[in-house]
């Protein structure tokens, strides 16, 4: 995020796209509601009629995967009506002309045909966004989990750059992190591209620095990203696997292929708090402590480093992950400092990554959270990025052209399936489904289907159905709901006995490798064995059926 | 605490006089806000900085020069030259009157009242005193015994109808699942048609529990556990679900090594501003779940996983990984960590991959 | 939070249309209006005509009706298997003990009235006015002139607060915001009061013309007429008159003026002006905190003039005959006044006289006492009780205030020697407890304390149970949000003051 979460309440215009904020980030949604309560305008671009559309001034219910068309058309309107911020573009950006040329070919009237969003709505939203000084964009997986994920992000950032809605309180570009410490894991270098603090692994000077720091010559071969790893497991390049807190059998797309690849592994370590699905392939399973049982830091969506503190002892022999890792390293022969607590680990991290150089447990304990960059012990927390200009030199416009999703609906698979989260569960639901209360509220998987489609297929609300894609078949109950567009269906991915990711495609974005969880072709086959029953009484979706 | 919640500028739009002290205020601020900023204590029961003031509890009444009646400082806007008194006998008598009245209408004994949540009402009664114990007022308020939701219990006999919970539900969580219902003496908190919360728009965020000043809204599970909040230790930590980074307080029973419940830090102190969602507040059963892994497991000759000691398991890990590397090269290993683990753990994990096993094949589920 | 496009203001009306709070109705109203279901339920349970749609015949238990034997009436109804429910006050004190059948409102017989005359502003038995000459005059002379004339008349609000009308009018006119509203407060419900009912029934054109004058003067485009739900006949009378005026072309010059009729649904508190605004906005009728006052932020947050029926009905006369004339009618304070009288009196009714009449004069107009005067309540429940010795106190705002009472709505109830002052005070306490909106603690809990204490005292006659009343009454007066709570202890306090022996004490507390 370029802005901070508490800035949202003061925004005057919110453009929320590809984010079901009330369910995936409820607390950020509260800030959005607060802004709307104050009188801020809200535009939601989402194929589903999510809760936020209830209080939105505009709902752009686009067809899944047509984001680039929609966003380019908004840019088209802004430029056509001269609403761009010329001086700001001049001072802070490069490559503007390329976008001008490209978006000329994306008039709203044509966009209406591709996206299904009325041209007039596109115009109104584009105008409101461009002309409101405190206008923020909020997005998440609905933008990135596409084969065109990177393009989608570029198209959004083009809007930000042409309006100059950056480096100002409550105005900016805000991807909302889906997991507690995605930011922190990346910050810490758990990515093949970067060493800690976003120091590039491809840079020999960086590798030298870490070779010296750790006393081991760093491997110059480029590392594999997650999506590549899954493929390399399949083709025999990978033979050993260490999984820490990650259940790839649930969370990765095209699960069947993942399971097949795991069969070829020679050695698999799984370190987790529960016996997860991947443990079935493990040679060693290590019991870990959960967040309530250990110390450390999480870094949230707005770059805020905050403390995790131990409240209770882990069960049985379970140990904190950091203790286990330090011990594995020691036993592997790597010389290690004898870490007494995670504070010492953090100090090592901070000493090697200038962005966090000024952060210490001592400061975190007295100041609460600190938003990086904080380079020196006396540097303040950084509330929002790009103050007084773009962070790294000039903001680069990236013209993007529309490309259709990897799969489209066809006669055999006439529906477009998107997947996502619900409020009541979390990821593979290893934690939330062990809450009796949450399981009571949302006990099982479901597929949302528009009444129009349901009627044609003879599917009733609460009926058992099979959802079928080219990759697999999953059984769950139908929730007939106007939350989804006609022709679209939607499923949560939380339920292991109904693994949505048997259906999804592992076609990934060319840059990030992120799988296209948001679009795949599917069909629904009614299962005729039992009487339909209501899926979740009182849920927002059933209220709108 | 790092405070990014306030306004960037602390500019003043004028001065009011409170108890003889000149205090600056900003446009739109109330007397209470200006006084609180200056450290002048005015007790409140129905005030929450996140909500539009209701002015209903009448605890915060102060004398305002030029006004015949005392005015609610939570709602009365500061204006240049306003003269306010917060410590006169009249103001103080009113506070005692309000507290006496509420106690006559509520659970009178503090220990009994604080069987689960702290009671601001009873704490204030101890701090400010009362006008004596008055005869108990008969109960006329309706409960919802048929509400089978798993988390939230409403105890009408402790409700002071301050509307903090309904305003929170309407303005912050914005789902409008609960409402003031009935009128006058019958005023109570209800859902539409007194339905179970799970059958309404309620998203079970539990904010109603956090804002309740008397414990009328309380946690079913913690209530059943049977230890009041004051006997638990609060451990401030960061939520382990989504990427918002809400601060929460684990309420820990040290003796039993148990997280009994989760509460939110006060509004205005952390990034979540006193709010939590259903997962952060209630989805903690997993911590003490019987299915937690408690022993290292090693796959034996029989193809089954068997409990082992840490020594055996760790050695096996190192041997196994090093064996793969010897047979197929360092880059035949892949390390996948979790964005659920801490920063330190991710640091050590990538260090392990890069330094102990000499490969750049390290990643985590990083779509967001 | 209200979803975009939710029709909150329609909630009460739609609830009513669908038959009130019955199974499934909340959900239906939710689907029709888009308003959150809980909010609809909260609203429905606030108004007793909605929350108790099967309450059957409503029996009044206001003070006059209590003294006239409402309990016997109730017993009688029940013995005949007629479904009946007690309510606070039906605005039919002249008919005590009164009842009201929501499924077939009876025609209200004529009460005692002053014979037609032209010395006063309203003249309830006066002939119907021809064309709206006063309105035409105001439109010709302009709104500045009207406000000046209003100030000259020195008329104060006839609803009970007695606030100078011209200050409100000037307040609205001084707002920059041009979206403005005029609201007629016809939610008459103070026990002992039924004057507005008579105006609406007999002189609706005065009200319509007065409202048109107000709307023209304040440049308002919308007039809201809020009539209490139990006054169906009065509302019909207004609608008929409006239709007639339109037919005759009396309102032709006011282009774009919109008239809205809104029913009350059984909540005395909505007579409080800001509670009334809440009701108009489709909410629970809980008074707002003031400031801001409605002239600044009223209906929909816009400048709003709210006036009582009688105040508005005086306007045509003020315009026709001048502010000076109006002012000169009164004795110490300006204007004429409609006084209601009920209780132990020969001809209960509405009598028009100069503001400042004494009870002696009013009794004379009403044919005298039944029995001998022991006490009276000069202006509704909120005014408390005065002893017979105050029979010559002018019934105006300042004189009564000096006596620790108030003119209020000028609904006088007289009690004869048979009255038990503890029971009288209890009757008023029951009223306030039933009609408290429940928003603020002093009123919500305080009214319960008073009623329960009086009941305990009635059964035990133990003076000890009264011990804590003084601080409770003090706090209710000091700390309640609105006038209802602030005045709710007056009946008891004054009864104890003037009739201490009935409360077992020798001297006033």
């Amino acid at each position: 995020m370029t802005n901070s979460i508490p800035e949202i309440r003061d925004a005057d215009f919110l453009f929320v796209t590809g984010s079901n904020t009330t369910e995936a980030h409820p607390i950020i949604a509260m800030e959005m509601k607060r802004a709307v309560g104050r009188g801020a305008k809200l535009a939601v671009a989402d194929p589903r009629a999510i809760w936020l559309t209830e209080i939105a001034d505009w709902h752009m219910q686009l067809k899944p995967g047509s984001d680039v068309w929609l966003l380019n058309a908004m840019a088209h309107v802004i430029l056509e009506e001269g609403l761009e911020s010329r001086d700001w573009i001049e001072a802070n950006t490069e490559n503007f002309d390329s976008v001008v040329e490209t978006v000329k070919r994306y008039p709203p009237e044509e966009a209406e045909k591709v996206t299904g969003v009325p041209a007039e709505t596109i115009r109104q939203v584009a105008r409101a966004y461009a002309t409101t000084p405190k206008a923020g964009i909020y997005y998440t997986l609905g933008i990135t989990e596409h084969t065109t994920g990177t393009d989608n992000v570029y198209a959004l950032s083009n809007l930000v750059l042409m309006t100059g809605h950056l480096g100002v309180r409550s105005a900016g570009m805000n991807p909302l992190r889906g997991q507690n410490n995605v930011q922190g894991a990346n910050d810490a270098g758990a990515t093949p591209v970067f060493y800690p603090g976003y120091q590039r692994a491809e840079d020999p000077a960086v590798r030298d620095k870490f070779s010296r720091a750790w006393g081991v010559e760093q491997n110059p071969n480029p590392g594999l990203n997650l999506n590549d790893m899954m493929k390399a497991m399949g083709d025999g390049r990978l033979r050993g696997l260490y999984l820490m807190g990650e259940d790839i059998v649930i969370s990765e797309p095209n699960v069947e292929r993942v399971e097949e690849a795991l069969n070829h592994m020679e050695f698999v370590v799984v370190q987790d708090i529960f016996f997860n699905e991947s443990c079935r392939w493990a040679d060693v399973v290590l019991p870990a402590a959960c967040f309530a049982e250990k110390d450390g830091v999480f870094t949230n969506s707005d770059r805020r480093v905050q403390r995790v503190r131990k409240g209770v002892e882990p069960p049985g022999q379970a140990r904190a992950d950091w203790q286990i890792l330090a011990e594995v390293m020691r036993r592997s022969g790597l010389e290690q400092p004898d870490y007494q607590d995670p504070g010492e680990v953090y100090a090592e991290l901070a000493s090697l990554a200038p962005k966090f150089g000024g952060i210490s447990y001592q400061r975190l304990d007295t100041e609460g959270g600190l938003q990086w960059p904080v380079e020196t012990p006396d540097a303040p927390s950084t509330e929002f990025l790009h103050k007084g200009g773009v962070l790294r030199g000039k903001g680069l416009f990236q013209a993007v052209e529309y490309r259709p999703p990897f799969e489209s609906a066809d006669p055999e698979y006439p529906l477009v399936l998107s997947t996502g989260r619900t409020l009541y569960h979390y990821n593979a639901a290893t934690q939330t489904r062990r809450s009796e209360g949450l399981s009571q509220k949302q006990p099982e998987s479901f597929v949302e289907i528009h009444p129009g489609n349901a009627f044609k297929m003879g599917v009733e609300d609460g009926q058992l159905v099979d959802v079928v894609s080219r990759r697999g078949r999953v059984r769950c109950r139908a929730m007939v709901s106007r939350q989804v567009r006609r022709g679209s269906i939607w499923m949560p991915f939380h339920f292991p006995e109904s693994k949505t990711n048997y259906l999804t495609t592992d076609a990934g974005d060319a840059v990030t490798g992120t799988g296209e969880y948001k679009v795949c072709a599917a069909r629904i086959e009614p299962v005729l064995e039992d009487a339909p029953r209501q899926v979740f009484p009182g849920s927002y979706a059933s209220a709108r059926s | 605490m790092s405070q990014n919640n306030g306004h960037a500028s602390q500019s003043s739009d004028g001065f009011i006089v409170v108890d003889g002290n000149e205090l600056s205020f900003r446009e739109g601020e109330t007397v209470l806000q200006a006084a609180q900023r200056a450290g002048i204590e005015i007790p409140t029961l129905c005030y929450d900085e996140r909500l539009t003031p209701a002015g209903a509890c009448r605890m915060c009444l102060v004398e305002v020069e030029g006004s015949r009646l005392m005015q609610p400082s939570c709602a009365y806007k500061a204006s240049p030259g306003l003269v306010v008194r917060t410590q006169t006998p009249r103001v103080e008598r009113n506070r005692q009157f309000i507290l006496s009245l509420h106690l006559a209408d509520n659970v009178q004994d503090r220990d009994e009242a604080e069987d689960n949540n702290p009671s601001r009402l009873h704490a204030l009664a101890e701090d400010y005193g009362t006008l004596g114990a008055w005869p108990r007022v008969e109960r006329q308020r309706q409960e919802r015994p048929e509400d089978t939701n798993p988390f939230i219990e409403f105890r009408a006999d402790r409700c002071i109808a301050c509307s903090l919970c309904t305003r929170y539900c309407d303005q912050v969580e914005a789902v409008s699942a609960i409402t003031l219902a009935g009128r006058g003496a019958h005023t109570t908190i209800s859902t539409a048609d007194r339905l179970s919360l799970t059958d309404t728009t309620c998203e079970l965020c539990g904010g109603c529990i956090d804002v309740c000043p008397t414990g009328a809204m309380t946690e079913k599970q913690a209530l059943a556990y049977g230890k009041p909040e004051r006997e638990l230790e609060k451990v401030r930590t960061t939520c382990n679900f989504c990427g918002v980074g809400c601060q929460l307080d684990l309420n820990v029973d040290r003796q039993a090594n148990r997280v009994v419940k989760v509460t939110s830090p006060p509004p205005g102190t952390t990034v979540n501003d006193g709010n939590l969602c259903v997962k952060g507040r209630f989805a903690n059963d997993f911590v003490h779940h019987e299915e937690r892994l408690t022993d290292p497991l090693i796959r034996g000759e029989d193809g089954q996983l068997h409990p082992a000691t840490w020594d055996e398991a760790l050695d096996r890990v190192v041997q196994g990984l090093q064996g793969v590397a010897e047979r197929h090269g360092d880059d035949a290993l892949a390390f996948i960590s979790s964005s659920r683990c801490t920063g330190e753990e991710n640091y050590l994990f990538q260090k392990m991959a890069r330094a102990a096993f000499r490969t750049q094949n390290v990643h985590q589920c990083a779509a967001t | 939070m209200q979803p975009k496009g939710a029709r909150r203001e329609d909630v009460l009306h739609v609830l009513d249309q669908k038959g009130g709070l019955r199974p499934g109705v909340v959900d239906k109203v939710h689907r029709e209006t888009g308003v959150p279901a809980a909010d609809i339920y909260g609203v429905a349970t606030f108004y007793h005509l909605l929350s108790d749609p099967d309450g059957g015949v409503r029996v009044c238990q206001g003070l006059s009706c209590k003294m006239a034997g409402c309990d016997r009436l109730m017993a009688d109804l029940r013995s005949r298997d007629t479904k009946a429910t007690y309510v606070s006050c039906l605005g039919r004190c002249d008919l005590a003990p009164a009842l009201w059948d929501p499924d077939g409102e009876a025609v209200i017989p004529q009460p005692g009235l002053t014979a037609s005359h032209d010395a006063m502003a309203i003249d309830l038995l006066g002939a119907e006015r021809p064309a709206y000459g006063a309105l035409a005059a105001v439109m010709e002379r302009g709104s500045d002139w009207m406000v000046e004339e209003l100030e000259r008349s020195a008329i104060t609000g006839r609803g009970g607060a007695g606030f100078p009308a011209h200050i409100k009018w000037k307040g609205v006119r001084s707002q920059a915001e041009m979206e403005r509203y005029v609201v007629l407060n016809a939610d008459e419900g103070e026990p002992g009061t039924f004057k507005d009912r008579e105006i609406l029934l007999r002189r609706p054109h005065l009200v319509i013309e007065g409202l048109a004058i107000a709307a023209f003067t304040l440049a308002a485009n919308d007039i809201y007429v809020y009539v209490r739900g139990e006054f169906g006949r009065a509302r019909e009378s207004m609608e008929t008159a409006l239709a007639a005026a339109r037919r005759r072309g009396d309102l032709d010059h006011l282009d774009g003026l919109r008239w809205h009729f809104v029913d009350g649904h059984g909540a005395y508190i909505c007579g409080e002006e800001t509670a009334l605004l809440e009701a108009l906005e489709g909410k629970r009728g809980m008074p707002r905190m003031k400031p801001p006052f409605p002239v600044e932020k009223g209906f929909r947050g816009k400048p709003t003039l709210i006036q009582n029926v009688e105040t508005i009905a005086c306007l045509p006369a003020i315009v026709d005959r001048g502010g000076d004339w109006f002012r000169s009618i009164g004795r110490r304070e300006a204007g004429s006044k409609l006084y209601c009288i009920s209780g132990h009196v020969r001809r209960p009714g509405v009598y028009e006289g100069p503001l400042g009449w004494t009870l002696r004069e009013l009794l004379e107009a009403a044919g005298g006492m039944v029995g001998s005067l022991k006490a009276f309540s000069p202006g509704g429940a909120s005014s408390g009780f005065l002893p017979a010795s105050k029979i010559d106190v002018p019934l105006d705002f300042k004189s009564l205030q000096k006596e620790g009472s108030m003119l209020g709505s000028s609904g006088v109830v007289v009690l004869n020697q048979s009255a038990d002052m503890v029971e009288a005070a209890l009757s008023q306490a029951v009223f306030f407890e039933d009609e408290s909106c429940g928003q603020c603690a002093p009123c919500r809990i305080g009214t319960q304390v008073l009623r329960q204490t009086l009941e305990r005292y009635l059964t035990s006659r133990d003076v000890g149970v009264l011990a804590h009343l003084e601080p409770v009454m003090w706090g209710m007066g000091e700390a309640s949000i609105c006038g209802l709570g602030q005045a709710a202890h007056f009946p008891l306090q004054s009864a104890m003051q003037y009739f201490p022996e009935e409360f077992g004490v020798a001297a006033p507390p």
Side-chain angles (χ1 to χ4, degrees), chain B residues 171-333:
Chain B
Q171 297 170 19
V172 178
E173 179 69 354
V175 296
S176 304
I178 51 174
T179 176
L180 284 175
R183 191 172 77 196
H186 301 274
T187 306
T188 187
I189 309 298
S190 184
T191 54
D193 288 338
R194 306 175 67 218
L195 290 167
S196 185
L197 278 174
T198 36
D199 295 335
T200 70
T201 50
C202 173
E203 294 182 346
L204 300 170
C205 75
C208 49
I209 296 171
D210 251 345
V211 295
C212 181
T214 59
M217 289 283 177
T218 192
E219 274 193 42
K220 282 187 174 166
Q221 289 167 3
L223 191 62
Y225 187 79
K227 264 199 178 178
E229 194 172 309
R230 60 174 180 276
E231 288 175 29
L232 305 173
E233 183 183 333
K234 280 189 185 341
V235 178
R236 175 69 49 86
T237 191
T238 304
C239 179
N240 87 139
F241 289 108
C242 81
V244 175
C246 293
Q247 297 298 287
L248 42 84
D249 289 333
L250 304 174
N251 287 237
V252 173
D253 181 348
R254 280 279 180 216
Q255 283 163 330
N257 190 43
R258 221 180 151 77
V259 177
V260 177
K261 65 175 177 178
V262 167
T263 51
S264 175
T269 59
T270 67
V271 65
N272 41 313
D273 200 15
N275 307 312
L276 286 176
C277 79
V278 58
K279 292 190 286 284
R281 192 184 305 276
F282 293 121
N284 49 51
D285 289 357
F286 76 91
V287 174
H288 303 297
H289 200 276
E290 58 184 16
E291 288 166 18
R292 283 287 300 275
L293 286 170
T294 54
D295 291 290
L297 306 171
I298 297 178
R299 197 170 296 278
E301 301 286 322
D302 58 358
Q304 302 298 310
L305 288 163
H306 300 281
T309 66
W310 275 107
D311 267 341
E312 292 163 349
L314 291 167
D315 283 341
R316 181 73 194 279
V317 167
V318 172
Q319 285 159 15
L321 294 172
Q322 284 177 343
V324 170
E326 277 158 24
R327 292 190 294 279
H328 305 285
D330 293 335
D331 288 337
L333 292 175

Side-chain angles (χ1 to χ4, degrees), chain C residues 15-350:
Chain C
L15 264 169
D16 193 18
Q17 270 184 336
K18 299 198 183 302
L21 194 59
R22 297 169 199 271
V25 166
V26 167
D27 194 51
K28 277 187 205 155
V29 179
H30 161 63
R31 282 169 195 271
E32 184 164 333
T33 61
V35 172
D39 290 353
I40 293 163
Y41 182 77
V43 167
T45 54
F46 187 88
Y47 299 90
H48 72 76
L49 292 181
L50 297 172
S51 65
D52 188 14
D54 300 317
V57 173
R58 302 306 205 272
V59 175
C60 181
Q61 58 174 351
L63 180 58
S64 300
C65 293
K66 192 87 184 169
M67 294 193 303
C70 65
D71 296 335
R72 281 195 310 276
L73 174 62
M74 178 61 95
D76 183 42
L77 286 167
R78 287 187 174 154
S79 73
R80 287 185 281 127
D81 282 338
T82 307
K83 176 97 170 103
T85 314
Y86 277 126
V87 289
S88 295
C89 175
L90 286 169
R92 290 166 169 78
C93 319
D94 49 329
L95 304 170
L99 54 73
W100 175 70
D101 185 352
D103 298 324
E105 183 179 321
V107 174
I108 298 173
Q110 182 174 317
L113 295 174
T114 311
S116 185
H117 55 83
D118 65 354
M120 302 286 154
I122 290 176
D123 189 9
L124 285 169
L125 288 174
E128 190 177 309
R129 288 162 59 83
Y132 285 3
L135 173 62
V138 173
M139 292 178 73
E140 194 189 312
R141 293 172 192 160
S143 45
D144 289 342
W145 175 86
M146 180 64 224
V147 175
E148 276 168 34
E149 212 52 38
L150 195 67
E151 184 166 3
R152 191 164 293 136
S153 79
I155 186 170
T156 54
R158 270 28 182 169
F163 192 78
H166 72 273
I167 297 181
K168 280 191 184 179
W169 290 47
K170 283 181 176 171
V172 173
R173 292 187 84 211
S174 70
Q175 301 296 317
E177 172 64 55
M178 287 309 294
E179 183 185 336
R180 300 165 176 182
Y181 296 94
V182 169
V183 176
L184 180 74
N185 184 346
D187 193 41
E188 187 170 56
E190 184 79 32
T193 314
F194 44 98
K195 65 185 177 66
D196 293 343
R197 181 195 84 192
E198 286 302 305
I199 297 173
L200 297 174
L201 287 172
R202 297 175 198 291
R203 304 305 307 268
H205 285 288
L206 288 183
V207 181
I208 290 167
E209 190 175 5
L211 286 169
I213 289 170
F216 169 79
T217 307
L218 306 180
N221 282 323
D222 291 272
I223 292 171
Y224 281 79
V225 177
Y226 187 90
V227 189
R228 75 173 291 186
E230 298 87 341
F231 283 179
R233 300 277 173 187
R235 175 188 160 146
E236 281 164 23
S237 160
M238 281 289 284
E239 282 175 323
T240 309
L242 178 64
R246 281 180 164 153
R247 243 190 343 267
R248 291 197 306 247
D250 294 341
L251 298 165
D252 280 359
H253 300 296
L254 286 169
D255 293 339
L257 184 61
R258 290 177 292 264
W259 296 74
H260 312 264
F261 284 84
V262 180
D263 284 329
H265 296 282
Y268 160 80
I269 190 61
C270 291
E272 198 280 341
E273 57 180 9
T274 57
L276 190 157
L277 293 176
E278 293 287 295
L280 283 184
E281 293 180 6
K283 300 174 187 163
R284 293 164 57 84
M286 303 194 301
R288 300 174 181 174
M289 282 177 287
K290 295 182 271 194
F293 291 90
V295 294
E296 187 189 337
K297 287 190 164 63
F299 183 53
R300 298 176 179 162
K302 305 294 182 188
T304 302
L305 177 80
I306 308 172
Q307 300 256 235
N308 171 258
V309 173
E310 186 184 350
T311 321
I312 289 289
C314 288
L315 294 176
I318 290 172
V319 172
D320 283 349
R321 302 160 83 168
D324 289 333
W325 168 82
F326 182 83
R327 178 159 58 187
S328 70
I329 306 172
R331 292 183 182 160
R332 289 175 178 77
E333 292 169 9
S336 54
K337 185 78 191 79
L338 293 179
Y339 290 96
C340 315
I341 187 163
S342 61
H344 298 134
V345 62
R346 289 193 194 285
R347 270 205 318 272
V350 183

Side-chain angles (χ1 to χ4, degrees), chain A residues 307-365:
Chain A
R307 278 295 312 276
V308 176
R309 292 186 184 85
K310 180 173 175 173
V312 286
E313 294 296 331
Q317 305 295 310
R319 290 184 187 174
D321 294 282
W322 66 271
Q323 290 171 310
I324 301 171
L325 299 174
E327 192 58 23
V328 169
M329 278 192 272
R330 198 181 61 75
R331 286 172 194 246
S332 77
L334 182 70
E335 244 179 76
Q336 278 295 294
D338 184 16
Y339 303 116
Q340 293 302 305
D341 62 65
E344 294 178 15
V345 180
Y346 198 85
E348 180 178 316
L349 164 65
S351 74
L352 292 168
K355 276 189 168 52
F356 322 122
I359 302 179
S360 64
Y361 270 30
Q362 199 190 353
R363 276 193 75 178
L364 291 175
D365 287 342

